[in-house]
Amino acid sequence: MKKAYVFPGQGSQFVGMGKDLYEQHDEAKQLFDKANEILGFNITEIMFNGTDEELKQTKVTQPAIFLHSVAQAAVAKDFAPDMVAGHSLGEFSALVASKVLSFEDGLRLVSKRALAMQAACEANPSTMAAILGLEDEKVEEVCASIDEVVVAANYNCPGQLVISGSNKGIEVACEKMKEAGAKRALPLPVGGAFHSPLMKPAEEELAKAINETTFSKGICPVYQNVDAMPHTDPTEIKENLIKQLTAPVRWTQSVQQMIADGATHFVECGPGKVLQGLVKKIDRNAEVSSVE
């Protein structure tokens, strides 16, 4: 019986998130107060009482989900992971929960990542789309046939792959995916082409910050997005984290690898239940739950 703790990425946010943790646990309250101090703005106020619009700004969303996830892990009953993984942004939460990164360093990196991604999006208008009901290989083939930047960005579960690229590229790709037999090709309401070559300027900026940050040997392996393999070596973890911004999130492969390595129970730590749904689609025999 091995327990895998998994941490969600952007899109899981909701107004009111984390308020119960703040009110019920001193340890969580300290993390929230510290976050306001480090970020230089009152993120807790936006999380608890803001509007959807305010919460949707990348510079707010990413630290908010990170903060909620890490606080939840900090106050969880019997938090003893055999392995951890996070979806995109969630990888930072996983690294803090597994003690590879300190909370302060993790939050600073997440904030820097959010601002760098925002700037890359503004410099190069781009987007993403969800492709449903098509084999991964077919999606990759269609992407490769287009003359614009279009790549597979998130391997979420079999039959659900998110693509990322230039506005024109995504528009053409959605048409071609439908012609190839996709059930749906849905443009997503995101700020830009995350996990694509268009994030290169953000990757370069984040690389500097990651290289200046102390990474330790954690309490368990972290299965990283870039290669879906378990890592414990701080140098390897750093390198993979830098590559993560322009490389696809191999979530399907990560979950499959965790199961192959003995994971029987997946506990989602953070807002929402998106990852539990994906794990069930990857392997319907896997046990899933939210953190207690």
Side-chain angles (χ1 to χ4, degrees):
M1 282 285 289
K2 283 191 178 178
K3 246 186 201 179
Y5 281 77
V6 291
F7 298 80
Q10 212 161 326
S12 302
Q13 68 277 5
F14 61 91
V15 173
M17 63 190 280
K19 197 164 190 256
D20 52 340
L21 292 169
Y22 185 89
E23 289 169 351
Q24 291 164 23
H25 302 276
D26 281 347
E27 195 177 349
K29 185 179 185 300
Q30 283 166 14
L31 292 175
F32 279 95
D33 292 344
K34 199 179 278 183
N36 289 338
E37 206 178 293
I38 290 170
L39 294 169
F41 67 91
N42 195 334
I43 192 166
T44 50
E45 179 56 32
I46 300 174
M47 286 168 73
F48 302 165
N49 307 307
T51 63
D52 285 336
E53 217 40 57
E54 288 173 304
L55 201 53
K56 234 172 33 193
Q57 300 170 65
T58 296
K59 69 168 190 174
V60 176
T61 316
Q62 294 197 17
I65 291 170
F66 166 86
L67 176 54
H68 185 283
S69 302
V70 170
Q72 215 173 33
V75 303
K77 277 190 220 145
D78 314 319
F79 183 77
D82 293 299
M83 51 187 89
V84 293
H87 190 290
S88 188
L89 156 74
E91 192 158 286
F92 288 82
S93 315
L95 290 170
V96 171
S98 62
K99 309 262 193 291
V100 173
L101 275 173
S102 71
F103 169 72
E104 294 83 351
D105 283 343
L107 181 61
R108 285 191 194 98
L109 287 177
V110 165
S111 177
K112 195 165 273 282
R113 178 184 192 264
L115 293 169
M117 286 169 82
Q118 188 89 40
C121 294
E122 283 161 14
N124 219 328
S126 51
T127 191
M128 301 174 85
I131 309 302
L132 308 179
L134 212 53
E135 295 285 320
D136 290 355
E137 294 72 21
K138 192 69 197 164
V139 175
E140 292 163 354
E141 197 183 299
V142 173
C143 288
S145 75
I146 295 168
D147 258 357
E148 293 272 332
V149 175
V150 188
V151 295
N154 297 348
Y155 292 82
N156 285 335
C157 65
Q160 190 196 116
L161 211 166
V162 174
I163 59 172
S164 189
S166 66
N167 289 339
K168 178 87 174 81
I170 293 296
E171 195 186 317
V172 173
C174 284
E175 283 312 308
K176 286 194 163 194
M177 296 291 177
K178 286 178 197 159
E179 285 164 19
K183 282 185 193 150
R184 298 176 83 184
L186 304 168
L188 297 174
V190 292
F194 306 146
H195 302 288
S196 84
L198 296 174
M199 285 293 120
K200 197 69 190 163
E203 180 185 275
E204 285 160 9
E205 203 170 315
L206 191 63
K208 190 173 179 298
I210 286 174
N211 284 324
E212 287 167 359
T213 302
T214 303
F215 281 57
S216 309
K217 196 168 164 50
I219 57 172
C220 66
V222 56
Y223 286 67
Q224 289 191 276
N225 292 177
V226 166
D227 62 1
M229 297 304 287
H231 294 277
T232 52
D233 177 74
T235 308
E236 279 176 19
I237 290 172
K238 272 188 180 188
E239 284 169 11
N240 289 333
L241 204 55
I242 290 167
K243 289 178 198 158
Q244 196 224 52
L245 267 187
T246 53
V249 172
R250 299 188 179 280
W251 188 252
T252 303
Q253 298 87 334
S254 298
V255 171
Q256 287 167 339
Q257 190 60 50
M258 291 164 105
I259 291 168
D261 292 345
T264 51
H265 191 151
F266 289 79
V267 184
E268 185 160 9
C269 211
K273 294 185 173 183
V274 170
L275 298 183
Q276 292 171 64
L278 295 181
V279 168
K280 275 303 215 188
K281 284 176 180 156
I282 294 164
D283 186 334
R284 59 167 195 254
N285 296 319
E287 270 184 67
V288 298
S289 63
S290 296
V291 75
E292 285 177 16

